[in-house]
Amino acid sequence: MRIFGKGRHRPSASWRQATDRAFTLIGDGRYEDAGELLTRAADLEPWLSESWFNLALLHKFRHDWEQARAAGLRAVALLDRETGAPDWWNVGIAATALQDWSLARRAWQAYGLKVPGGAAVAGEPLGMELGSAAVRLSPEGEAEVVWGRRLDPARIEVLSIPLPSSGRRWGEVVLHDGVPHGERTTSSGHAYPVFDEIELWAPSPVPTWVVLLEAATEADRDALEQLAADAGFAAEDWSSSVRLLCRMCSESRMPSDEGEGVHLDPHDHSEPGHPGPLGHRTDGQLWVPERECGVAAPASLVRGLLDGWVADSPDSRDWRDLEEVC
């Protein structure tokens, strides 16, 4: 709340009722009706940063980035603290969606983040060294959590090969929300946040293929993944990397490597003995030679990549049923 002199201004009962009702409508997906109420609330209390913050949130949900930027700027103009306000984060997301890099830099810096070059530089806020994170693709549909590299506080480059149901590809850049929903932990103890995708920011020209491999050993499988990486693309053994989780488990703190081999993860809701999208657990064997693998590579390269992998060890490797899926 804004403080005027020594007194703290409290929003009126009408403002609170309109705002509470608006967020109920937002939860029901009734954005137009919610917008009318939040606009009315802003008319009632235009000096409250919360009035404009709430409008900026609504416009973010609607992906109306021009309006989100305008409302966000009005919100930050009324703030009574210098750094750390979520209002600035929403401004940063809207500015990133619009590629308004000078405003994005200003927003991240005002939030309290270190931005190489400061707010005066005109280009993208690269080099912030935010590390790896996970992103939940299509959070309102057939959600899938994949790994990626954070380019800045609002964008992740997808480094996993998403399943075709997500409609996303390896190498795409997605805009994501600022509040994590869940974590993924590794065997080393590191925890990584899971952010929800807002929308596709930059598409990838590289198609996704699915192929059935015969890989006698894990080393054979690893060789294909390394061969693809050396070529500048990717291959991923979906038989071991895919887990089916309920929403509650997905949005919690989850180990990223449990459920493989003979260990049964109690949070895994897939079916034992079915590789790939149907589940990643085996029926007690340490290794199943038939693997369902995703490959991200151009059409002109993918068959040669697979043939080269087989040629390096023809007695222990083979492939079949190659299909472009996304």
Side-chain angles (χ1 to χ4, degrees):
M1 301 178 188
R2 288 289 293 165
I3 298 175
F4 295 92
K6 295 183 179 179
R8 177 180 291 273
H9 177 83
R10 295 185 179 278
S12 65
S14 298
W15 184 93
R16 292 195 299 270
Q17 290 168 2
T19 299
D20 290 345
R21 177 59 179 158
F23 277 95
T24 299
L25 293 173
I26 288 173
D28 295 335
R30 296 172 58 184
Y31 293 148
E32 292 295 332
D33 295 334
E36 292 179 7
L37 288 171
L38 290 178
T39 300
R40 184 189 310 167
D43 289 339
L44 289 169
E45 307 281 6
W47 45 81
L48 280 178
S49 63
E50 290 93 335
S51 295
W52 304 104
F53 174 81
N54 293 336
L55 271 173
L57 272 182
L58 173 67
H59 295 312
K60 182 182 73 173
F61 296 150
R62 299 174 63 185
H63 302 182
D64 186 342
W65 300 116
E66 293 282 359
Q67 293 293 330
R69 176 174 60 182
L73 286 172
R74 293 196 68 167
V76 297
L78 294 167
L79 288 174
D80 54 13
R81 55 174 166 156
E82 293 184 1
T83 60
D87 310 67
W88 277 114
W89 198 282
N90 281 336
V91 170
I93 292 174
T96 301
L98 295 168
Q99 300 186 45
D100 183 348
W101 298 125
S102 59
L103 179 59
R105 285 174 165 273
R106 177 185 165 204
W108 304 134
Q109 189 163 293
Y111 185 79
L113 301 176
K114 184 177 180 180
V115 183
V121 178
E124 296 182 41
L126 301 178
M128 295 182 70
E129 298 182 356
L130 298 174
S132 299
V135 60
R136 183 175 290 104
L137 304 175
S138 304
E140 300 303 323
E142 294 188 26
E144 177 184 359
V145 175
V146 298
W147 290 98
R149 177 174 66 94
R150 299 187 72 186
L151 303 180
D152 58 37
R155 293 181 298 161
I156 289 180
E157 179 187 10
V158 176
L159 299 182
S160 300
I161 303 178
L163 296 174
S165 58
S166 73
R168 295 285 176 259
R169 290 176 166 182
W170 170 86
E172 290 187 327
V173 177
V174 298
L175 191 73
H176 67 80
D177 219 337
V179 179
H181 282 164
E183 286 185 342
R184 295 297 180 268
T185 59
T186 64
S187 57
S188 62
H190 292 293
Y192 297 90
V194 180
F195 296 100
D196 284 348
E197 174 194 16
I198 298 176
E199 65 181 17
L200 178 64
W201 191 88
S204 169
V206 181
T208 303
W209 308 79
V210 62
V211 63
L212 287 179
L213 304 180
E214 285 292 331
T217 67
E218 290 184 65
D220 289 308
R221 183 273 315 276
D222 294 345
L224 176 60
E225 294 183 348
Q226 186 60 54
L227 194 64
D230 290 344
F233 299 100
E236 182 177 327
D237 180 7
W238 283 341
S239 296
S240 62
S241 66
V242 172
R243 281 190 292 172
L244 301 184
L245 302 175
C246 69
R247 187 180 188 93
M248 183 174 66
C249 292
S250 178
E251 294 182 356
S252 66
R253 182 183 177 94
M254 291 293 298
S256 64
D257 55 353
E258 286 197 10
E260 298 183 8
V262 298
H263 181 84
L264 300 184
D265 179 359
H267 300 283
D268 190 332
H269 306 289
S270 57
E271 298 179 11
H274 296 279
L278 297 180
H280 74 302
R281 299 179 296 182
T282 70
D283 56 3
Q285 303 176 62
L286 292 177
W287 181 255
V288 176
E290 184 175 275
R291 321 296 296 176
E292 187 174 59
C293 183
V295 180
S300 59
L301 177 68
V302 63
R303 287 174 176 81
L305 191 70
L306 291 165
D307 287 340
W309 172 71
V310 171
D312 287 339
S313 184
D315 294 335
S316 62
R317 303 173 187 173
D318 200 3
W319 67 270
R320 61 183 172 86
D321 297 341
L322 178 69
E323 179 185 0
E324 183 177 346
V325 291
C326 185

